[in-house]
Amino acid sequence: MNDSHASHANWKTSAKAALGGTGVQASRPVHANQTTTALVTEAIRRGEGRLSLDGALMVETGVHTGRSVQDKFVVDEPSVTKDIWWGKINQKLSVERFNALKGRVQAYLQGQDLFVQDLYAGADPAHRVRVRLVTTQAWNALFARNMFIRPPAADLAGFEPDYVILHAPLFHTDPQVDGVRSSTTIALSFEQKFILIAGTEYAGEVKKSIFTVMNWLLPAKGVMPMHCSANIGKGGDVALFFGLSGTGKTTLSSDPQRRLIGDDEHGWGENGVFNVEGGCYAKVINLSQEAEPEIWAATNRFGCVLENVVANEHGVLDLKDATLTENTRSCYPVEFIPNVELSGRGGQPKNIVMLTCDAFGVLPPIARLTPAQAMYHFLSGYTAQVAGTEKGLGKEPRAVFSTCFAHPFIPRHPEVYGRMLAELMKRHNATCWLVNTGWSGGAYGTGSRMSIKHTRALLTRALDGSLNGMEFRKEPFFGLNIPAHVPGIPDEVLDPRQAWADKAAYDRTAQQLIKRFEDNFASFESGVGDDVRAAALRAAA
């Protein structure tokens, strides 16, 4: 065999190993487990993006600048169908349709240059999932490498994936042929352990597809998957922060006195809390160096991936520019943050914080929840959106409910996760707090935004245990236990009704919000126990 034949044979062997378990046969170069530098070089060479002044890789995702929720499908397979929460989020796709589409995507990938990354999801080895991503874009390979946990080099030899992602961002599905809704499709098979992502370059689909897998796998192992941030105090005490976009989850979990475990996805089981990921995916519209210096620094350095961020011809970023989207993003490894717990693990949580941005201005800045109330508010997943945070909103706030603070990513029925939370809280004696970072003294447009200084002061006292020792009383509208007096915090701030000049207006607004809670509760009431039903909010007759 001459040198050229030997070289070709070696290439075929290495490509076959890199694509093991994917069903893809290589006909063009396969770039397996390339480093950050190599992937950035390839992305620039291929015209996928450009560098910012400080060396971050800037890319644009085209028409899709967020997740395509209406195009997500779960394969209706015999072993899983009874346990899936079927509906608008988890839409059914037949096995036959999925297999045909998988074949089309595999055939398409066979004719492309490919980038493969072998990665872990789950910092706890007992609950780790091995993921193999096959993509046609170097920058999406770098995104995944930043986002997930990078195995030691020794672990890559003989790496066998538990789940495979076939990522074909420029391949458009055909509703007539594939039985899907549009040219974009995200399809998950829990039996075959395959994920297909087609017709969208938005990298968040890769991240959240694996989170959906973890939301499927972990409950069966007695581990609760959570859409939350987590940090750990100097004494080893762990705190969890649940909250939808705009509630302050990232800001409040970033605390100079506490190490960050992770900013978005975690598991909670017998060994404590662990990060699902190895990176961060921060929203950076209007990001300021003064307010969030750590995220700003991570965003302005080599190795970071910037999605849809605008810059001038010299690569100087304009983080206020929403020309491409409000949903501008920065993706970087956790080690880019200085005050981080690099193991991605912590002990059993002592405090659970559920954040809401109540733009109606009727919820207290902090309340201590009973276990039943904690499950109720977890299943409700309430916040409010206002003009300026979401397009198309008028002057009135809009109530938003996302069950388990993770509606788009949960394949099982919400009560499964709610019961796990209640059991874990009871077993480990965790205290749950409801924290409102929204408005006080009136609704959005009339009242004022809750002082971040007050919020941080109350949260610090909650996490160090001192708030628990203070006097609490039950407010009459939401049945919440609120502190009567806290040094340094005005009493009228602690009691939201006292902060309103027009008490009758407060009463009306509170009842209107309670009615929204009541209407939302109807969607999961049948799956909860009597204690949670008793804790549910009911509008006045």
Side-chain angles (χ1 to χ4, degrees):
M1 183 183 292
N2 62 35
D3 288 347
S4 64
H5 284 146
S7 176
H8 182 73
N10 290 338
W11 172 80
K12 293 291 285 185
T13 300
S14 63
K16 185 176 181 180
L19 294 170
T22 69
V24 177
Q25 305 296 318
S27 65
R28 294 176 62 85
V30 178
H31 307 275
N33 294 311
Q34 286 189 319
T35 63
T36 296
T37 302
L39 289 170
V40 171
T41 302
E42 278 295 313
I44 298 297
R45 184 183 70 80
R46 294 160 55 89
E48 295 176 3
R50 65 187 178 112
L51 294 182
S52 74
L53 182 65
D54 292 305
L57 179 62
M58 300 173 57
V59 298
E60 295 182 13
T61 62
V63 65
H64 294 288
T65 58
R67 287 177 293 102
S68 300
V69 179
Q70 292 178 302
D71 294 303
K72 179 182 174 183
F73 294 86
V74 175
V75 184
D76 187 9
E77 295 158 315
S79 65
V80 304
T81 187
K82 71 179 190 307
D83 294 317
I84 300 291
W85 186 35
W86 298 112
K88 291 182 179 179
I89 297 295
N90 300 304
Q91 302 175 86
K92 288 186 179 183
L93 188 67
S94 71
V95 174
E96 294 73 22
R97 289 284 199 186
F98 179 80
N99 286 340
L101 177 57
K102 182 175 72 171
R104 291 195 341 107
V105 172
Q106 287 167 331
Y108 166 80
L109 292 174
Q110 186 169 319
Q112 309 295 317
D113 288 10
L114 298 176
F115 297 86
V116 178
Q117 286 287 315
D118 293 332
L119 302 158
Y120 292 148
D124 184 343
H127 306 298
R128 179 171 287 163
V129 173
R130 298 183 296 270
V131 178
R132 174 162 287 165
L133 170 78
V134 181
T135 180
T136 57
Q137 293 180 324
W139 83 260
N140 254 301
L142 177 58
F143 171 91
R145 186 176 179 83
N146 282 355
M147 202 68 250
F148 298 108
I149 298 169
R150 297 156 291 285
D155 289 8
L156 293 175
F159 185 99
E160 294 185 6
D162 299 310
Y163 269 78
V164 168
I165 304 174
L166 297 184
H167 186 250
L170 302 182
F171 175 86
H172 289 171
T173 50
D174 185 335
Q176 297 299 316
V177 174
D178 301 311
V180 294
R181 191 189 73 94
S182 74
S183 61
T184 298
T185 300
I186 300 94
L188 292 81
S189 167
F190 292 126
E191 269 192 14
Q192 298 184 40
K193 300 182 178 179
F194 256 86
I195 300 165
L196 308 178
I197 300 175
T200 173
E201 295 181 73
Y202 179 68
E205 299 289 11
V206 173
K207 166 186 163 72
K208 289 305 185 188
S209 67
I210 291 300
F211 186 46
T212 302
V213 166
M214 299 302 268
N215 273 303
W216 171 254
L217 293 176
L218 293 180
K221 301 173 73 176
V223 176
M224 182 182 172
M226 304 175 295
H227 191 211
C228 71
S229 58
N231 64 24
I232 182 169
K234 293 177 179 177
D237 59 297
V238 171
L240 307 178
F241 298 80
F242 291 91
L244 303 178
S245 179
T247 59
K249 181 177 65 169
T250 301
T251 300
L252 292 172
S253 61
S254 299
D255 184 331
Q257 302 304 314
R258 302 175 66 84
R259 297 189 310 283
L260 184 72
I261 297 173
D263 77 332
D264 196 46
E265 301 171 9
H266 294 83
W268 180 7
E270 73 281 5
N271 300 325
V273 169
F274 61 89
N275 195 355
V276 167
E277 302 176 309
C280 301
Y281 192 41
K283 195 170 181 178
V284 292
I285 193 70
N286 297 320
L287 178 73
S288 80
Q289 186 175 10
E290 294 72 31
E292 299 189 80
E294 293 178 348
I295 296 174
W296 192 92
T299 294
N300 286 272
R301 62 179 283 185
F302 181 81
C304 172
V305 176
L306 299 179
E307 275 187 317
N308 301 310
V309 173
V310 175
N312 67 16
E313 66 273 20
H314 304 296
V316 177
L317 303 181
D318 183 353
L319 295 172
K320 295 180 180 179
D321 193 325
T323 301
L324 298 176
T325 178
E326 289 270 346
N327 190 33
T328 55
R329 294 279 179 167
S330 172
C331 174
Y332 48 86
V334 289
E335 55 265 31
F336 280 20
I337 297 292
N339 194 28
V340 70
E341 176 53 52
L342 288 173
S343 71
R345 300 178 67 180
Q348 299 297 343
K350 185 177 178 182
N351 288 283
I352 298 166
V353 180
M354 295 184 184
L355 297 163
T356 181
C357 177
D358 176 32
F360 296 98
V362 293
L363 288 177
I366 196 164
R368 186 175 58 200
L369 302 181
T370 66
Q373 286 177 325
M375 184 171 172
Y376 174 79
H377 283 280
F378 177 71
L379 291 173
S380 296
Y382 163 70
T383 194
Q385 295 172 339
V386 298
T389 61
E390 296 289 331
K391 290 182 179 178
L393 290 181
K395 294 181 180 180
E396 294 296 317
R398 183 179 72 187
V400 176
F401 296 93
S402 180
T403 188
C404 308
F405 297 95
H407 187 181
F409 322 119
I410 55 173
R412 297 179 184 269
H413 294 270
E415 310 87 75
V416 171
Y417 308 99
R419 282 194 294 269
M420 292 193 79
L421 177 67
E423 290 165 5
L424 285 163
M425 280 182 61
K426 183 178 180 181
R427 190 183 312 161
H428 300 292
N429 197 30
T431 302
C432 188
W433 305 91
L434 182 68
V435 172
N436 173 24
T437 61
W439 271 255
S440 176
Y444 168 76
T446 303
S448 56
R449 191 70 192 257
M450 200 74 71
S451 161
I452 186 69
K453 181 181 176 183
H454 290 159
T455 301
R456 282 199 182 277
L458 290 168
L459 199 52
T460 297
R461 288 180 179 273
L463 299 188
D464 70 17
S466 61
L467 192 59
N468 251 335
M470 295 181 184
E471 178 190 352
F472 279 74
R473 65 177 187 81
K474 182 177 287 189
E475 58 81 36
F477 286 87
F478 299 92
L480 296 171
N481 291 306
I482 62 175
H485 310 284
V486 177
I489 309 293
D491 288 351
E492 63 270 19
V493 170
L494 296 172
D495 183 341
R497 189 172 187 269
Q498 296 309 311
W500 283 55
D502 186 342
K503 302 296 190 284
Y506 173 90
D507 297 350
R508 287 193 304 273
T509 306
Q511 285 296 339
Q512 289 165 1
L513 182 57
I514 289 169
K515 181 65 168 63
R516 291 182 173 96
F517 267 94
E518 184 178 27
D519 292 344
N520 179 68
F521 182 56
S523 64
F524 57 83
E525 183 174 7
S526 62
V528 302
D530 292 340
D531 58 338
V532 179
R533 287 195 187 93
L537 299 177
R538 309 287 184 184

Short mmCIF file of all heavy atoms in Angstrom, two decimals, residues 142-182:
data_model
loop_
_atom_site.label_atom_id
_atom_site.label_comp_id
_atom_site.label_asym_id
_atom_site.label_seq_id
_atom_site.Cartn_x
_atom_site.Cartn_y
_atom_site.Cartn_z
N LEU A 142 -18.00 24.97 18.60
CA LEU A 142 -17.38 25.72 19.69
C LEU A 142 -18.41 26.08 20.75
O LEU A 142 -18.12 26.03 21.96
CB LEU A 142 -16.72 26.99 19.14
CG LEU A 142 -16.08 27.92 20.18
CD1 LEU A 142 -15.02 27.19 21.00
CD2 LEU A 142 -15.48 29.15 19.52
N PHE A 143 -19.61 26.45 20.33
CA PHE A 143 -20.68 26.73 21.28
C PHE A 143 -20.89 25.53 22.21
O PHE A 143 -20.94 25.68 23.44
CB PHE A 143 -21.99 27.06 20.55
CG PHE A 143 -23.19 27.15 21.45
CD1 PHE A 143 -23.55 28.36 22.01
CD2 PHE A 143 -23.95 26.02 21.75
CE1 PHE A 143 -24.65 28.45 22.86
CE2 PHE A 143 -25.04 26.10 22.60
CZ PHE A 143 -25.39 27.32 23.16
N ALA A 144 -21.04 24.35 21.63
CA ALA A 144 -21.27 23.15 22.43
C ALA A 144 -20.07 22.86 23.34
O ALA A 144 -20.23 22.47 24.51
CB ALA A 144 -21.54 21.95 21.52
N ARG A 145 -18.88 23.08 22.82
CA ARG A 145 -17.66 22.85 23.63
C ARG A 145 -17.62 23.80 24.83
O ARG A 145 -17.21 23.41 25.93
CB ARG A 145 -16.43 23.04 22.74
CG ARG A 145 -15.11 22.69 23.41
CD ARG A 145 -13.95 22.82 22.43
NE ARG A 145 -12.68 22.51 23.10
CZ ARG A 145 -12.21 21.28 23.29
NH1 ARG A 145 -12.90 20.25 22.87
NH2 ARG A 145 -11.06 21.10 23.91
N ASN A 146 -18.05 25.05 24.63
CA ASN A 146 -18.13 26.00 25.73
C ASN A 146 -19.24 25.64 26.71
O ASN A 146 -19.09 25.79 27.93
CB ASN A 146 -18.41 27.41 25.20
CG ASN A 146 -17.18 28.09 24.62
OD1 ASN A 146 -16.08 27.56 24.68
ND2 ASN A 146 -17.38 29.25 24.03
N MET A 147 -20.36 25.16 26.17
CA MET A 147 -21.60 25.04 26.96
C MET A 147 -21.62 23.80 27.84
O MET A 147 -22.12 23.83 28.97
CB MET A 147 -22.79 25.00 26.00
CG MET A 147 -24.12 25.38 26.60
SD MET A 147 -24.20 27.12 27.05
CE MET A 147 -24.21 26.99 28.83
N PHE A 148 -21.09 22.71 27.32
CA PHE A 148 -21.15 21.45 28.07
C PHE A 148 -19.82 21.19 28.78
O PHE A 148 -18.92 22.02 28.79
CB PHE A 148 -21.55 20.31 27.14
CG PHE A 148 -22.92 20.49 26.54
CD1 PHE A 148 -23.08 20.80 25.20
CD2 PHE A 148 -24.06 20.39 27.34
CE1 PHE A 148 -24.35 20.99 24.66
CE2 PHE A 148 -25.32 20.58 26.81
CZ PHE A 148 -25.47 20.89 25.47
N ILE A 149 -19.71 20.03 29.41
CA ILE A 149 -18.51 19.70 30.18
C ILE A 149 -17.51 19.00 29.26
O ILE A 149 -17.86 18.01 28.59
CB ILE A 149 -18.88 18.81 31.38
CG1 ILE A 149 -19.82 19.58 32.32
CG2 ILE A 149 -17.62 18.36 32.12
CD1 ILE A 149 -20.46 18.72 33.40
N ARG A 150 -16.30 19.50 29.21
CA ARG A 150 -15.28 18.97 28.33
C ARG A 150 -14.54 17.81 29.01
O ARG A 150 -13.86 18.02 30.03
CB ARG A 150 -14.31 20.09 27.94
CG ARG A 150 -15.00 21.20 27.15
CD ARG A 150 -14.32 22.54 27.23
NE ARG A 150 -14.40 23.14 28.56
CZ ARG A 150 -15.50 23.72 29.08
NH1 ARG A 150 -16.63 23.75 28.38
NH2 ARG A 150 -15.50 24.24 30.28
N PRO A 151 -14.63 16.60 28.48
CA PRO A 151 -13.97 15.45 29.12
C PRO A 151 -12.45 15.58 29.06
O PRO A 151 -11.91 16.19 28.14
CB PRO A 151 -14.43 14.26 28.27
CG PRO A 151 -15.59 14.74 27.47
CD PRO A 151 -15.36 16.19 27.26
N PRO A 152 -11.76 15.00 30.04
CA PRO A 152 -10.29 14.91 29.94
C PRO A 152 -9.92 14.14 28.67
O PRO A 152 -10.67 13.28 28.21
CB PRO A 152 -9.89 14.13 31.19
CG PRO A 152 -11.06 14.22 32.11
CD PRO A 152 -12.28 14.36 31.26
N ALA A 153 -8.75 14.46 28.11
CA ALA A 153 -8.32 13.83 26.85
C ALA A 153 -8.36 12.31 26.94
O ALA A 153 -8.71 11.62 25.98
CB ALA A 153 -6.92 14.32 26.49
N ALA A 154 -8.01 11.77 28.12
CA ALA A 154 -7.98 10.31 28.27
C ALA A 154 -9.35 9.68 28.10
O ALA A 154 -9.46 8.52 27.70
CB ALA A 154 -7.40 9.95 29.64
N ASP A 155 -10.41 10.44 28.42
CA ASP A 155 -11.77 9.91 28.31
C ASP A 155 -12.28 9.87 26.88
O ASP A 155 -13.31 9.24 26.59
CB ASP A 155 -12.73 10.75 29.15
CG ASP A 155 -12.53 10.58 30.64
OD1 ASP A 155 -11.54 9.92 31.02
OD2 ASP A 155 -13.34 11.11 31.43
N LEU A 156 -11.60 10.57 25.96
CA LEU A 156 -12.09 10.64 24.58
C LEU A 156 -11.77 9.37 23.80
O LEU A 156 -12.48 9.04 22.84
CB LEU A 156 -11.48 11.85 23.87
CG LEU A 156 -11.93 13.22 24.41
CD1 LEU A 156 -11.16 14.34 23.73
CD2 LEU A 156 -13.43 13.39 24.22
N ALA A 157 -10.74 8.64 24.20
CA ALA A 157 -10.41 7.38 23.54
C ALA A 157 -11.51 6.37 23.86
O ALA A 157 -11.78 6.08 25.03
CB ALA A 157 -9.06 6.88 24.02
N GLY A 158 -12.14 5.86 22.84
CA GLY A 158 -13.21 4.89 23.05
C GLY A 158 -14.52 5.51 23.54
O GLY A 158 -15.37 4.79 24.08
N PHE A 159 -14.67 6.81 23.39
CA PHE A 159 -15.89 7.51 23.83
C PHE A 159 -17.10 6.94 23.08
O PHE A 159 -17.14 6.90 21.85
CB PHE A 159 -15.75 9.01 23.54
CG PHE A 159 -16.89 9.86 24.06
CD1 PHE A 159 -16.76 10.55 25.26
CD2 PHE A 159 -18.06 10.01 23.33
CE1 PHE A 159 -17.79 11.36 25.73
CE2 PHE A 159 -19.10 10.81 23.80
CZ PHE A 159 -18.96 11.49 24.99
N GLU A 160 -18.10 6.50 23.82
CA GLU A 160 -19.33 5.99 23.22
C GLU A 160 -20.50 6.83 23.72
O GLU A 160 -20.73 6.90 24.93
CB GLU A 160 -19.55 4.52 23.57
CG GLU A 160 -18.50 3.59 22.96
CD GLU A 160 -18.80 2.13 23.22
OE1 GLU A 160 -19.89 1.84 23.77
OE2 GLU A 160 -17.97 1.29 22.87
N PRO A 161 -21.21 7.49 22.82
CA PRO A 161 -22.26 8.42 23.25
C PRO A 161 -23.49 7.73 23.80
O PRO A 161 -23.88 6.65 23.33
CB PRO A 161 -22.59 9.19 21.97
CG PRO A 161 -22.28 8.22 20.86
CD PRO A 161 -21.08 7.43 21.35
N ASP A 162 -24.10 8.36 24.81
CA ASP A 162 -25.42 7.94 25.27
C ASP A 162 -26.50 8.58 24.39
O ASP A 162 -27.53 7.96 24.13
CB ASP A 162 -25.65 8.39 26.72
CG ASP A 162 -24.66 7.76 27.68
OD1 ASP A 162 -24.48 6.53 27.62
OD2 ASP A 162 -24.05 8.50 28.48
N TYR A 163 -26.24 9.82 23.96
CA TYR A 163 -27.17 10.54 23.08
C TYR A 163 -26.38 11.17 21.94
O TYR A 163 -25.25 11.63 22.13
CB TYR A 163 -27.92 11.64 23.85
CG TYR A 163 -29.23 11.15 24.44
CD1 TYR A 163 -29.24 10.40 25.60
CD2 TYR A 163 -30.44 11.40 23.80
CE1 TYR A 163 -30.43 9.93 26.14
CE2 TYR A 163 -31.64 10.94 24.33
CZ TYR A 163 -31.62 10.20 25.50
OH TYR A 163 -32.81 9.73 26.02
N VAL A 164 -27.00 11.19 20.77
CA VAL A 164 -26.41 11.78 19.57
C VAL A 164 -27.28 12.95 19.13
O VAL A 164 -28.50 12.85 19.08
CB VAL A 164 -26.31 10.74 18.43
CG1 VAL A 164 -25.97 11.42 17.10
CG2 VAL A 164 -25.28 9.67 18.77
N ILE A 165 -26.62 14.08 18.82
CA ILE A 165 -27.30 15.23 18.21
C ILE A 165 -26.81 15.36 16.78
O ILE A 165 -25.62 15.57 16.54
CB ILE A 165 -27.00 16.55 18.95
CG1 ILE A 165 -27.35 16.46 20.43
CG2 ILE A 165 -27.77 17.71 18.30
CD1 ILE A 165 -26.94 17.69 21.24
N LEU A 166 -27.73 15.22 15.83
CA LEU A 166 -27.42 15.51 14.44
C LEU A 166 -27.89 16.93 14.16
O LEU A 166 -29.10 17.20 14.16
CB LEU A 166 -28.11 14.51 13.50
CG LEU A 166 -27.69 13.04 13.65
CD1 LEU A 166 -28.38 12.18 12.61
CD2 LEU A 166 -26.17 12.87 13.57
N HIS A 167 -26.94 17.82 13.97
CA HIS A 167 -27.22 19.26 13.89
C HIS A 167 -26.98 19.71 12.45
O HIS A 167 -25.84 19.80 11.99
CB HIS A 167 -26.30 20.00 14.86
CG HIS A 167 -26.57 21.45 14.97
ND1 HIS A 167 -25.72 22.41 14.48
CD2 HIS A 167 -27.61 22.13 15.52
CE1 HIS A 167 -26.20 23.62 14.73
NE2 HIS A 167 -27.35 23.47 15.36
N ALA A 168 -28.07 20.02 11.75
CA ALA A 168 -28.00 20.42 10.34
C ALA A 168 -28.70 21.77 10.18
O ALA A 168 -29.83 21.84 9.70
CB ALA A 168 -28.66 19.36 9.46
N PRO A 169 -28.05 22.85 10.60
CA PRO A 169 -28.71 24.16 10.65
C PRO A 169 -29.17 24.70 9.30
O PRO A 169 -30.11 25.49 9.24
CB PRO A 169 -27.65 25.07 11.29
CG PRO A 169 -26.36 24.36 11.10
CD PRO A 169 -26.67 22.91 11.12
N LEU A 170 -28.49 24.27 8.22
CA LEU A 170 -28.85 24.79 6.89
C LEU A 170 -29.70 23.81 6.09
O LEU A 170 -30.01 24.07 4.92
CB LEU A 170 -27.58 25.16 6.12
CG LEU A 170 -26.66 26.20 6.81
CD1 LEU A 170 -25.47 26.52 5.93
CD2 LEU A 170 -27.44 27.46 7.15
N PHE A 171 -30.09 22.71 6.70
CA PHE A 171 -30.98 21.72 6.04
C PHE A 171 -32.42 22.07 6.41
O PHE A 171 -32.75 22.14 7.60
CB PHE A 171 -30.63 20.31 6.51
CG PHE A 171 -31.58 19.24 6.00
CD1 PHE A 171 -31.37 18.66 4.77
CD2 PHE A 171 -32.67 18.84 6.76
CE1 PHE A 171 -32.23 17.67 4.29
CE2 PHE A 171 -33.53 17.86 6.30
CZ PHE A 171 -33.32 17.28 5.06
N HIS A 172 -33.26 22.28 5.44
CA HIS A 172 -34.64 22.68 5.70
C HIS A 172 -35.57 21.47 5.58
O HIS A 172 -35.56 20.77 4.56
CB HIS A 172 -35.08 23.77 4.73
CG HIS A 172 -34.42 25.09 5.01
ND1 HIS A 172 -34.51 26.17 4.18
CD2 HIS A 172 -33.63 25.48 6.05
CE1 HIS A 172 -33.83 27.18 4.69
NE2 HIS A 172 -33.28 26.78 5.82
N THR A 173 -36.34 21.24 6.62
CA THR A 173 -37.33 20.17 6.57
C THR A 173 -38.51 20.59 5.70
O THR A 173 -38.77 21.78 5.50
CB THR A 173 -37.81 19.80 7.98
OG1 THR A 173 -38.20 20.98 8.69
CG2 THR A 173 -36.71 19.11 8.76
N ASP A 174 -39.24 19.60 5.22
CA ASP A 174 -40.38 19.83 4.32
C ASP A 174 -41.64 19.30 5.00
O ASP A 174 -41.78 18.08 5.19
CB ASP A 174 -40.13 19.09 3.01
CG ASP A 174 -41.21 19.36 1.96
OD1 ASP A 174 -42.35 19.71 2.35
OD2 ASP A 174 -40.91 19.22 0.76
N PRO A 175 -42.57 20.16 5.36
CA PRO A 175 -43.79 19.70 6.04
C PRO A 175 -44.53 18.61 5.28
O PRO A 175 -45.08 17.69 5.89
CB PRO A 175 -44.63 20.98 6.16
CG PRO A 175 -43.62 22.09 6.20
CD PRO A 175 -42.53 21.64 5.27
N GLN A 176 -44.55 18.70 3.96
CA GLN A 176 -45.26 17.71 3.16
C GLN A 176 -44.58 16.34 3.21
O GLN A 176 -45.23 15.30 3.25
CB GLN A 176 -45.35 18.18 1.70
CG GLN A 176 -46.16 19.45 1.50
CD GLN A 176 -47.60 19.31 1.95
OE1 GLN A 176 -48.25 18.31 1.66
NE2 GLN A 176 -48.10 20.29 2.71
N VAL A 177 -43.27 16.36 3.22
CA VAL A 177 -42.49 15.11 3.22
C VAL A 177 -42.29 14.57 4.63
O VAL A 177 -42.43 13.36 4.89
CB VAL A 177 -41.12 15.34 2.55
CG1 VAL A 177 -40.23 14.10 2.68
CG2 VAL A 177 -41.30 15.72 1.08
N ASP A 178 -42.00 15.48 5.57
CA ASP A 178 -41.56 15.07 6.91
C ASP A 178 -42.67 15.06 7.97
O ASP A 178 -42.44 14.62 9.10
CB ASP A 178 -40.42 15.97 7.37
CG ASP A 178 -39.22 15.92 6.42
OD1 ASP A 178 -38.80 14.80 6.08
OD2 ASP A 178 -38.72 16.99 6.02
N GLY A 179 -43.84 15.59 7.63
CA GLY A 179 -44.94 15.59 8.60
C GLY A 179 -44.72 16.54 9.76
O GLY A 179 -45.20 16.31 10.87
N VAL A 180 -43.97 17.63 9.51
CA VAL A 180 -43.68 18.61 10.54
C VAL A 180 -44.38 19.92 10.21
O VAL A 180 -45.14 20.01 9.25
CB VAL A 180 -42.15 18.80 10.69
CG1 VAL A 180 -41.51 17.52 11.21
CG2 VAL A 180 -41.51 19.22 9.36
N ARG A 181 -44.10 20.98 11.00
CA ARG A 181 -44.84 22.23 10.84
C ARG A 181 -44.23 23.18 9.83
O ARG A 181 -44.93 23.92 9.14
CB ARG A 181 -44.93 22.93 12.20
CG ARG A 181 -45.90 24.10 12.26
CD ARG A 181 -45.75 24.89 13.56
NE ARG A 181 -44.53 25.68 13.59
CZ ARG A 181 -44.46 26.96 13.22
NH1 ARG A 181 -45.54 27.58 12.79
NH2 ARG A 181 -43.31 27.60 13.26
N SER A 182 -42.87 23.18 9.74
CA SER A 182 -42.20 24.19 8.93
C SER A 182 -40.86 23.66 8.44
O SER A 182 -40.57 22.46 8.55
CB SER A 182 -42.00 25.46 9.75
OG SER A 182 -40.97 25.27 10.71
#
